[in-house]
Coordinates of all heavy atoms in Angstrom, one line a residue:
M92 N 6.0 -26.9 22.6 CA 7.0 -26.0 21.9 C 6.9 -24.6 22.7 O 5.8 -24.1 22.8 CB 6.6 -25.8 20.5 CG 7.6 -24.9 19.7 SD 7.2 -24.8 18.0 CE 7.8 -26.3 17.4
N93 N 8.0 -24.1 23.1 CA 8.0 -22.9 23.8 C 8.0 -21.7 22.8 O 8.2 -21.8 21.6 CB 9.1 -22.8 24.8 CG 10.5 -22.7 24.1 OD1 10.7 -22.0 23.1 ND2 11.5 -23.3 24.7
I94 N 7.8 -20.5 23.4 CA 7.6 -19.3 22.6 C 8.9 -19.0 21.8 O 8.8 -18.5 20.6 CB 7.2 -18.1 23.5 CG1 6.8 -16.9 22.6 CG2 8.3 -17.7 24.4 CD1 5.5 -16.9 22.1
F95 N 10.0 -19.3 22.3 CA 11.3 -19.0 21.6 C 11.5 -19.8 20.4 O 11.9 -19.4 19.3 CB 12.5 -19.1 22.5 CG 12.5 -18.1 23.6 CD1 12.2 -18.5 25.0 CD2 12.7 -16.7 23.4 CE1 12.2 -17.5 26.0 CE2 12.6 -15.8 24.4 CZ 12.4 -16.2 25.7
N96 N 11.1 -21.1 20.5 CA 11.1 -22.0 19.3 C 10.2 -21.5 18.2 O 10.5 -21.5 17.0 CB 10.8 -23.4 19.7 CG 12.0 -24.0 20.5 OD1 13.1 -23.6 20.4 ND2 11.6 -25.1 21.2
K97 N 9.0 -21.1 18.6 CA 8.0 -20.6 17.6 C 8.5 -19.3 17.0 O 8.4 -19.2 15.7 CB 6.6 -20.3 18.3 CG 5.9 -21.6 18.7 CD 4.6 -21.2 19.4 CE 3.9 -22.5 19.8 NZ 2.6 -22.2 20.4
L98 N 9.1 -18.4 17.7 CA 9.6 -17.2 17.2 C 10.8 -17.5 16.2 O 10.8 -16.9 15.1 CB 10.0 -16.3 18.3 CG 10.6 -14.9 17.9 CD1 9.5 -14.1 17.1 CD2 11.0 -14.1 19.1
D99 N 11.6 -18.4 16.6 CA 12.8 -18.8 15.7 C 12.3 -19.4 14.4 O 12.8 -19.0 13.3 CB 13.7 -19.7 16.4 CG 14.9 -20.0 15.6 OD1 15.6 -19.1 15.2 OD2 15.2 -21.3 15.4
R100 N 11.3 -20.2 14.5 CA 10.7 -20.8 13.3 C 10.1 -19.8 12.4 O 10.2 -19.8 11.1 CB 9.7 -21.9 13.6 CG 10.3 -23.2 13.9 CD 9.3 -24.3 13.9 NE 8.0 -24.0 13.3 CZ 6.8 -24.5 13.7 NH1 6.8 -25.4 14.6 NH2 5.7 -24.2 13.1
Y101 N 9.4 -18.8 13.0 CA 8.8 -17.7 12.2 C 9.9 -16.8 11.5 O 9.7 -16.5 10.3 CB 7.9 -16.8 13.1 CG 7.3 -15.7 12.4 CD1 6.2 -15.9 11.5 CD2 7.8 -14.4 12.5 CE1 5.7 -14.8 10.8 CE2 7.3 -13.3 11.8 CZ 6.2 -13.5 11.0 OH 5.6 -12.5 10.3
I102 N 10.9 -16.5 12.2 CA 11.9 -15.6 11.7 C 12.8 -16.3 10.6 O 13.1 -15.7 9.6 CB 12.9 -15.1 12.8 CG1 12.1 -14.2 13.7 CG2 14.1 -14.4 12.3 CD1 12.8 -13.8 15.0
T103 N 13.1 -17.6 10.7 CA 13.9 -18.3 9.8 C 13.2 -19.0 8.7 O 13.8 -19.5 7.8 CB 14.8 -19.3 10.5 OG1 14.0 -20.2 11.2 CG2 15.8 -18.6 11.5
D104 N 11.9 -19.0 8.7 CA 11.1 -19.6 7.7 C 11.2 -18.9 6.4 O 11.0 -17.7 6.3 CB 9.6 -19.7 8.2 CG 8.7 -20.5 7.2 OD1 9.2 -21.3 6.4 OD2 7.5 -20.4 7.4
K105 N 11.5 -19.6 5.3 CA 11.6 -19.0 4.0 C 10.5 -19.5 3.0 O 10.5 -19.2 1.9 CB 13.0 -19.3 3.4 CG 14.1 -18.8 4.2 CD 14.1 -17.3 4.3 CE 15.2 -16.8 5.1 NZ 15.0 -15.4 5.6
E106 N 9.5 -20.2 3.6 CA 8.4 -20.7 2.7 C 7.5 -19.6 2.4 O 7.2 -18.7 3.2 CB 7.7 -21.8 3.5 CG 6.6 -22.4 2.7 CD 5.9 -23.5 3.5 OE1 6.4 -24.0 4.5 OE2 4.8 -23.9 3.1
Y107 N 7.1 -19.5 1.1 CA 6.2 -18.5 0.6 C 4.7 -18.8 1.1 O 4.3 -20.0 1.1 CB 6.3 -18.5 -0.9 CG 5.0 -18.2 -1.7 CD1 4.5 -16.9 -1.8 CD2 4.3 -19.2 -2.3 CE1 3.4 -16.7 -2.4 CE2 3.2 -19.0 -3.0 CZ 2.7 -17.7 -3.1 OH 1.5 -17.5 -3.7
K108 N 4.0 -17.8 1.6 CA 2.7 -18.0 2.1 C 1.8 -16.8 1.8 O 2.3 -15.7 1.6 CB 2.7 -18.1 3.7 CG 3.5 -19.3 4.2 CD 3.6 -19.2 5.7 CE 4.5 -20.2 6.2 NZ 4.9 -20.1 7.6
M109 N 0.5 -17.1 1.6 CA -0.5 -16.1 1.5 C -1.6 -16.3 2.5 O -2.0 -17.4 2.8 CB -1.2 -16.2 0.1 CG -0.4 -15.6 -1.0 SD -1.4 -15.4 -2.5 CE -2.1 -16.9 -2.8
I110 N -1.9 -15.2 3.2 CA -3.0 -15.2 4.2 C -4.0 -14.3 3.7 O -3.8 -13.1 3.5 CB -2.5 -14.8 5.6 CG1 -1.3 -15.7 6.0 CG2 -3.6 -14.8 6.6 CD1 -0.5 -15.2 7.2
I111 N -5.2 -14.8 3.4 CA -6.3 -14.0 2.8 C -7.4 -13.8 3.9 O -7.9 -14.7 4.5 CB -6.9 -14.7 1.6 CG1 -5.8 -15.0 0.6 CG2 -8.1 -13.9 1.0 CD1 -6.2 -15.9 -0.5
K112 N -7.7 -12.5 4.1 CA -8.8 -12.1 5.0 C -9.7 -11.2 4.3 O -9.4 -10.8 3.2 CB -8.2 -11.5 6.3 CG -7.3 -12.4 7.1 CD -6.7 -11.6 8.3 CE -5.8 -12.5 9.1 NZ -5.3 -11.8 10.2
K113 N -10.7 -10.8 5.0 CA -11.7 -9.9 4.4 C -11.0 -8.6 4.0 O -10.4 -7.9 4.9 CB -12.8 -9.6 5.3 CG -13.9 -8.7 4.7 CD -15.0 -8.5 5.7 CE -16.1 -7.6 4.9 NZ -17.2 -7.4 5.8
E114 N -11.0 -8.3 2.7 CA -10.4 -7.0 2.2 C -8.9 -6.9 2.4 O -8.4 -5.7 2.5 CB -11.2 -5.8 2.6 CG -12.6 -5.8 2.1 CD -13.4 -4.5 2.2 OE1 -12.8 -3.6 2.8 OE2 -14.5 -4.4 1.7
Q115 N -8.2 -8.0 2.6 CA -6.7 -7.9 2.7 C -6.1 -9.2 2.4 O -6.7 -10.2 2.5 CB -6.3 -7.4 4.1 CG -6.5 -8.3 5.2 CD -6.0 -7.7 6.5 OE1 -5.9 -6.5 6.7 NE2 -5.7 -8.5 7.5
I116 N -4.9 -9.1 1.8 CA -4.1 -10.3 1.6 C -2.7 -10.0 2.0 O -2.1 -8.9 1.8 CB -4.1 -10.7 0.1 CG1 -3.2 -11.9 -0.2 CG2 -3.7 -9.6 -0.8 CD1 -3.4 -12.5 -1.6
N117 N -2.1 -10.9 2.8 CA -0.8 -10.8 3.3 C 0.1 -11.8 2.6 O -0.2 -13.0 2.7 CB -0.8 -11.0 4.9 CG 0.5 -10.6 5.5 OD1 1.3 -9.9 4.9 ND2 0.7 -11.1 6.7
I118 N 1.1 -11.4 2.0 CA 2.0 -12.3 1.3 C 3.4 -12.3 2.0 O 4.0 -11.2 2.1 CB 2.2 -11.9 -0.2 CG1 0.8 -11.9 -0.9 CG2 3.1 -12.9 -1.0 CD1 0.7 -11.3 -2.3
I119 N 3.8 -13.5 2.4 CA 5.1 -13.6 3.1 C 6.1 -14.3 2.3 O 5.8 -15.3 1.6 CB 4.8 -14.4 4.4 CG1 3.7 -13.6 5.3 CG2 6.1 -14.6 5.2 CD1 3.2 -14.4 6.4
N120 N 7.3 -13.8 2.3 CA 8.5 -14.3 1.6 C 8.3 -14.2 0.1 O 8.6 -15.1 -0.7 CB 8.7 -15.8 2.0 CG 9.2 -15.9 3.4 OD1 10.0 -15.0 3.9 ND2 8.8 -17.0 4.1
Y121 N 7.8 -13.0 -0.3 CA 7.7 -12.7 -1.8 C 9.1 -12.3 -2.3 O 10.0 -12.0 -1.5 CB 6.7 -11.7 -2.0 CG 7.1 -10.3 -1.6 CD1 7.5 -9.3 -2.5 CD2 7.0 -9.9 -0.2 CE1 7.9 -8.1 -2.1 CE2 7.3 -8.6 0.2 CZ 7.8 -7.7 -0.8 OH 8.2 -6.5 -0.4
I122 N 9.3 -12.2 -3.6 CA 10.5 -11.7 -4.1 C 10.5 -10.3 -4.4 O 11.4 -9.5 -4.0 CB 10.9 -12.6 -5.4 CG1 11.1 -14.0 -4.9 CG2 12.1 -12.0 -6.1 CD1 11.3 -15.0 -6.1
E123 N 9.5 -9.8 -5.2 CA 9.4 -8.4 -5.5 C 8.0 -8.0 -6.0 O 7.3 -8.9 -6.4 CB 10.5 -8.0 -6.6 CG 10.2 -8.5 -8.0 CD 11.1 -8.1 -9.0 OE1 11.4 -6.9 -9.1 OE2 11.6 -8.9 -9.8
I124 N 7.7 -6.7 -5.9 CA 6.5 -6.2 -6.4 C 6.8 -5.7 -7.9 O 7.7 -4.8 -8.0 CB 6.0 -5.0 -5.6 CG1 5.6 -5.5 -4.2 CG2 4.7 -4.4 -6.2 CD1 5.2 -4.5 -3.2
K125 N 6.2 -6.4 -8.9 CA 6.5 -6.1 -10.3 C 5.8 -4.8 -10.7 O 6.3 -4.0 -11.5 CB 6.1 -7.2 -11.1 CG 6.8 -8.6 -10.8 CD 8.2 -8.6 -11.1 CE 8.4 -9.0 -12.6 NZ 9.8 -8.9 -13.0
D126 N 4.5 -4.6 -10.3 CA 3.7 -3.5 -10.8 C 2.6 -3.3 -9.8 O 2.1 -4.2 -9.2 CB 3.2 -3.8 -12.2 CG 2.5 -2.6 -12.8 OD1 2.9 -1.4 -12.5 OD2 1.6 -2.8 -13.6
F127 N 2.2 -2.0 -9.6 CA 1.0 -1.8 -8.8 C 0.3 -0.5 -9.2 O 0.9 0.4 -9.7 CB 1.3 -1.8 -7.3 CG 2.2 -0.6 -6.8 CD1 1.5 0.5 -6.3 CD2 3.5 -0.7 -6.8 CE1 2.3 1.6 -5.8 CE2 4.3 0.4 -6.4 CZ 3.7 1.5 -5.9
S128 N -1.0 -0.6 -9.0 CA -1.9 0.5 -9.2 C -3.1 0.3 -8.2 O -3.1 -0.6 -7.5 CB -2.4 0.6 -10.7 OG -3.3 -0.4 -10.9
S129 N -4.0 1.2 -8.3 CA -5.2 1.1 -7.4 C -6.1 0.0 -7.8 O -7.0 -0.4 -7.0 CB -5.9 2.4 -7.3 OG -6.5 2.7 -8.5
T130 N -5.9 -0.6 -9.0 CA -6.8 -1.7 -9.5 C -6.1 -3.0 -9.7 O -6.7 -4.1 -9.8 CB -7.5 -1.3 -10.8 OG1 -6.5 -1.0 -11.8 CG2 -8.4 -0.1 -10.6
K131 N -4.7 -3.0 -9.7 CA -4.0 -4.3 -10.0 C -2.6 -4.2 -9.3 O -1.9 -3.2 -9.5 CB -3.9 -4.5 -11.5 CG -3.2 -5.9 -11.8 CD -2.9 -6.0 -13.3 CE -4.2 -6.5 -13.9 NZ -4.0 -6.9 -15.3
I132 N -2.3 -5.3 -8.6 CA -0.9 -5.4 -8.0 C -0.4 -6.8 -8.5 O -1.0 -7.8 -8.3 CB -1.0 -5.3 -6.5 CG1 -1.5 -3.9 -6.1 CG2 0.4 -5.5 -5.9 CD1 -1.7 -3.7 -4.6
I133 N 0.8 -6.7 -9.0 CA 1.5 -8.0 -9.5 C 2.7 -8.2 -8.6 O 3.6 -7.3 -8.5 CB 1.9 -7.8 -11.0 CG1 0.6 -7.6 -11.8 CG2 2.6 -9.1 -11.4 CD1 0.9 -7.3 -13.3
I134 N 2.8 -9.4 -8.0 CA 3.9 -9.7 -7.1 C 4.6 -11.0 -7.6 O 3.9 -12.0 -7.9 CB 3.4 -9.9 -5.7 CG1 2.8 -8.5 -5.2 CG2 4.5 -10.4 -4.8 CD1 2.2 -8.5 -3.9
K135 N 5.9 -11.0 -7.6 CA 6.7 -12.2 -8.0 C 7.0 -12.9 -6.7 O 7.6 -12.4 -5.7 CB 8.0 -11.8 -8.7 CG 8.8 -13.0 -9.1 CD 9.9 -12.6 -9.9 CE 10.7 -13.6 -10.6 NZ 11.2 -14.7 -10.3
A136 N 6.6 -14.2 -6.6 CA 6.9 -15.1 -5.5 C 7.9 -16.2 -6.0 O 8.1 -16.2 -7.2 CB 5.6 -15.7 -5.0
P137 N 8.4 -17.0 -5.1 CA 9.4 -17.9 -5.6 C 9.0 -18.9 -6.7 O 9.7 -19.2 -7.6 CB 9.7 -18.7 -4.3 CG 9.5 -17.8 -3.2 CD 8.3 -16.9 -3.7
D138 N 7.7 -19.3 -6.7 CA 7.2 -20.2 -7.7 C 6.0 -19.8 -8.4 O 5.4 -20.5 -9.2 CB 7.0 -21.6 -7.1 CG 6.0 -21.5 -5.9 OD1 5.5 -20.4 -5.6 OD2 5.6 -22.6 -5.4
N139 N 5.6 -18.5 -8.3 CA 4.4 -18.0 -8.9 C 4.5 -16.5 -9.2 O 5.3 -15.8 -8.6 CB 3.2 -18.1 -8.0 CG 2.6 -19.5 -7.9 OD1 2.6 -20.2 -8.9 ND2 2.3 -20.0 -6.7
I140 N 3.7 -16.0 -10.1 CA 3.4 -14.6 -10.2 C 2.0 -14.4 -9.7 O 1.0 -15.1 -10.1 CB 3.4 -14.2 -11.7 CG1 4.8 -14.3 -12.2 CG2 3.0 -12.7 -11.8 CD1 5.9 -13.4 -11.7
I141 N 1.8 -13.6 -8.7 CA 0.5 -13.4 -8.1 C -0.1 -12.0 -8.6 O 0.6 -11.0 -8.5 CB 0.6 -13.3 -6.5 CG1 1.3 -14.6 -6.0 CG2 -0.7 -13.1 -5.9 CD1 1.9 -14.4 -4.7
T142 N -1.3 -12.1 -9.1 CA -1.9 -10.9 -9.6 C -3.2 -10.7 -8.8 O -4.1 -11.5 -8.7 CB -2.3 -11.0 -11.1 OG1 -1.2 -11.3 -11.9 CG2 -3.0 -9.7 -11.6
V143 N -3.2 -9.5 -8.1 CA -4.4 -9.2 -7.3 C -5.1 -8.0 -8.0 O -4.5 -7.0 -8.3 CB -3.9 -8.7 -5.9 CG1 -5.1 -8.3 -5.0 CG2 -3.1 -9.8 -5.2
T144 N -6.4 -8.2 -8.3 CA -7.2 -7.2 -8.9 C -8.4 -6.8 -8.1 O -8.9 -7.6 -7.3 CB -7.7 -7.6 -10.3 OG1 -8.4 -8.8 -10.2 CG2 -6.5 -7.8 -11.3
G145 N -8.8 -5.6 -8.2 CA -9.9 -5.1 -7.4 C -10.0 -3.6 -7.5 O -9.6 -3.0 -8.6
S146 N -10.4 -2.9 -6.5 CA -10.5 -1.4 -6.5 C -10.0 -0.9 -5.2 O -10.0 -1.6 -4.2 CB -11.9 -1.0 -6.8 OG -12.8 -1.5 -5.8
N147 N -9.5 0.3 -5.2 CA -8.9 0.9 -4.0 C -7.8 0.1 -3.4 O -7.7 0.0 -2.1 CB -10.0 1.3 -3.0 CG -11.0 2.2 -3.6 OD1 -10.7 3.2 -4.3 ND2 -12.3 1.9 -3.3
L148 N -7.0 -0.6 -4.2 CA -5.9 -1.4 -3.6 C -4.8 -0.6 -3.1 O -4.4 0.4 -3.8 CB -5.4 -2.4 -4.7 CG -6.5 -3.4 -5.2 CD1 -5.8 -4.3 -6.3 CD2 -7.0 -4.3 -4.1
V149 N -4.3 -0.9 -2.0 CA -3.2 -0.1 -1.3 C -2.2 -1.1 -0.7 O -2.6 -2.1 -0.1 CB -3.7 0.8 -0.2 CG1 -2.6 1.5 0.5 CG2 -4.7 1.8 -0.8
V150 N -0.9 -0.9 -0.9 CA 0.1 -1.6 -0.2 C 0.2 -1.0 1.2 O 0.8 0.1 1.3 CB 1.5 -1.6 -1.0 CG1 2.5 -2.3 -0.2 CG2 1.3 -2.3 -2.3
S151 N -0.4 -1.6 2.1 CA -0.5 -1.0 3.5 C 0.7 -1.2 4.3 O 1.0 -0.4 5.2 CB -1.7 -1.6 4.2 OG -2.9 -1.3 3.6
K152 N 1.4 -2.3 4.1 CA 2.6 -2.6 4.9 C 3.6 -3.3 3.9 O 3.2 -4.2 3.2 CB 2.3 -3.5 6.1 CG 3.5 -4.0 6.9 CD 3.0 -4.7 8.1 CE 2.9 -6.2 7.9 NZ 2.7 -7.0 9.1
M153 N 4.8 -2.9 4.0 CA 5.8 -3.5 3.1 C 7.1 -3.7 3.9 O 7.6 -2.7 4.4 CB 6.0 -2.7 1.8 CG 6.9 -3.4 0.8 SD 6.9 -2.7 -0.8 CE 7.4 -1.0 -0.5
Q154 N 7.6 -4.9 4.0 CA 8.9 -5.2 4.7 C 9.7 -6.0 3.7 O 9.3 -6.3 2.6 CB 8.6 -5.9 6.0 CG 7.8 -5.1 7.0 CD 7.5 -5.9 8.2 OE1 7.6 -7.1 8.3 NE2 7.1 -5.2 9.3
D155 N 10.9 -6.3 4.1 CA 11.8 -7.1 3.3 C 11.2 -8.4 2.7 O 11.4 -8.8 1.6 CB 13.1 -7.5 4.0 CG 14.0 -6.3 4.2 OD1 13.8 -5.3 3.5 OD2 14.9 -6.4 5.1
N156 N 10.4 -9.1 3.6 CA 9.8 -10.3 3.1 C 8.3 -10.4 3.2 O 7.8 -11.5 3.1 CB 10.5 -11.5 4.0 CG 10.1 -11.4 5.4 OD1 9.6 -10.4 5.9 ND2 10.2 -12.5 6.1
E157 N 7.6 -9.3 3.5 CA 6.2 -9.4 3.7 C 5.5 -8.1 3.2 O 6.0 -7.0 3.3 CB 5.9 -9.5 5.2 CG 4.5 -9.7 5.6 CD 4.4 -9.9 7.1 OE1 5.4 -10.0 7.8 OE2 3.2 -9.9 7.6
V158 N 4.4 -8.4 2.5 CA 3.6 -7.2 2.0 C 2.1 -7.5 2.3 O 1.6 -8.6 2.3 CB 3.8 -7.1 0.5 CG1 3.3 -8.3 -0.3 CG2 3.2 -5.8 -0.1
L159 N 1.5 -6.4 2.7 CA 0.0 -6.4 3.1 C -0.7 -5.6 2.1 O -0.4 -4.4 2.0 CB -0.2 -6.0 4.5 CG -1.7 -5.9 4.9 CD1 -2.3 -7.3 4.9 CD2 -1.8 -5.3 6.3
I160 N -1.7 -6.1 1.4 CA -2.5 -5.4 0.4 C -3.9 -5.3 0.9 O -4.5 -6.3 1.4 CB -2.5 -6.1 -1.0 CG1 -1.1 -6.2 -1.5 CG2 -3.4 -5.4 -2.0 CD1 -0.9 -7.2 -2.7
T161 N -4.4 -4.1 1.0 CA -5.8 -3.9 1.4 C -6.6 -3.2 0.3 O -6.1 -2.6 -0.6 CB -5.8 -3.0 2.7 OG1 -5.2 -1.8 2.4 CG2 -5.1 -3.7 3.9
G162 N -7.9 -3.3 0.4 CA -8.8 -2.8 -0.5 C -9.9 -3.7 -0.9 O -10.1 -4.8 -0.2
S163 N -10.7 -3.4 -1.9 CA -11.7 -4.3 -2.3 C -11.2 -5.3 -3.3 O -11.1 -5.0 -4.5 CB -12.9 -3.4 -3.0 OG -13.9 -4.3 -3.4
I164 N -10.8 -6.5 -2.8 CA -10.1 -7.5 -3.7 C -11.2 -8.3 -4.4 O -12.1 -8.9 -3.7 CB -9.2 -8.4 -2.8 CG1 -8.1 -7.5 -2.2 CG2 -8.6 -9.5 -3.6 CD1 -7.3 -8.2 -1.1
K165 N -11.1 -8.4 -5.7 CA -12.1 -9.1 -6.5 C -11.5 -10.4 -7.0 O -12.3 -11.4 -7.1 CB -12.5 -8.3 -7.7 CG -13.2 -7.0 -7.4 CD -14.4 -7.1 -6.6 CE -15.0 -5.8 -6.3 NZ -16.0 -5.9 -5.2
L166 N -10.2 -10.5 -7.3 CA -9.6 -11.7 -7.9 C -8.2 -11.8 -7.5 O -7.4 -10.8 -7.5 CB -9.8 -11.6 -9.4 CG -9.2 -12.8 -10.2 CD1 -10.0 -14.0 -10.0 CD2 -9.3 -12.4 -11.7
I167 N -7.8 -13.1 -7.2 CA -6.4 -13.4 -6.9 C -6.0 -14.5 -7.9 O -6.6 -15.6 -7.9 CB -6.1 -13.8 -5.5 CG1 -6.5 -12.8 -4.5 CG2 -4.7 -14.2 -5.3 CD1 -6.6 -13.2 -3.1
E168 N -5.0 -14.2 -8.8 CA -4.6 -15.2 -9.8 C -3.2 -15.6 -9.5 O -2.3 -14.8 -9.2 CB -4.7 -14.6 -11.2 CG -6.1 -14.2 -11.7 CD -6.1 -13.6 -13.0 OE1 -5.6 -12.4 -13.1 OE2 -6.5 -14.3 -14.0
L169 N -2.9 -16.9 -9.7 CA -1.6 -17.4 -9.5 C -1.1 -17.9 -10.9 O -1.8 -18.4 -11.7 CB -1.5 -18.6 -8.6 CG -2.0 -18.3 -7.2 CD1 -2.1 -19.6 -6.4 CD2 -1.1 -17.4 -6.5

């Protein structure tokens, strides 16, 4: 598969995904951020409500279909 096909699949993909790394969670194709504070962020996804709890939580990057949350993440609930 060439690079253009990979890029096209990434751009047109509408599947909801979560990528969890140390002290960050990236949510792709979410619907909306329902509520946020430094200890809890609630996000509506196509088939779930995602609740991220912890401390010093920050929405570090927010685009139309992608949000990156950083901080000391203690719990992710679906």
Side-chain angles (χ1 to χ4, degrees):
M92 179 179 284
N93 68 37
I94 189 83
F95 294 110
N96 288 342
K97 288 180 182 181
L98 182 60
D99 183 55
R100 274 193 17 208
Y101 177 77
I102 291 170
T103 60
D104 186 15
K105 298 299 179 198
E106 185 179 341
Y107 144 77
K108 298 175 188 166
M109 280 195 308
I110 301 166
I111 301 168
K112 297 181 180 177
K113 184 178 181 180
E114 296 194 353
Q115 69 179 23
I116 179 170
N117 191 17
I118 302 172
I119 301 168
N120 293 324
Y121 73 100
I122 295 173
E123 70 177 311
I124 298 174
K125 302 290 275 177
D126 189 28
F127 69 93
S128 70
S129 64
T130 57
K131 183 186 280 188
I132 299 176
I133 301 172
I134 296 177
K135 184 175 187 321
D138 57 355
N139 284 320
I140 298 292
I141 304 160
T142 304
V143 180
T144 55
S146 58
N147 301 317
L148 298 178
V149 176
V150 175
S151 297
K152 177 173 90 173
M153 187 168 58
Q154 297 175 343
D155 288 342
N156 67 339
E157 186 175 352
V158 63
L159 177 65
I160 300 167
T161 59
S163 181
I164 299 169
K165 301 297 180 199
L166 180 65
I167 300 168
E168 296 177 288
L169 300 175

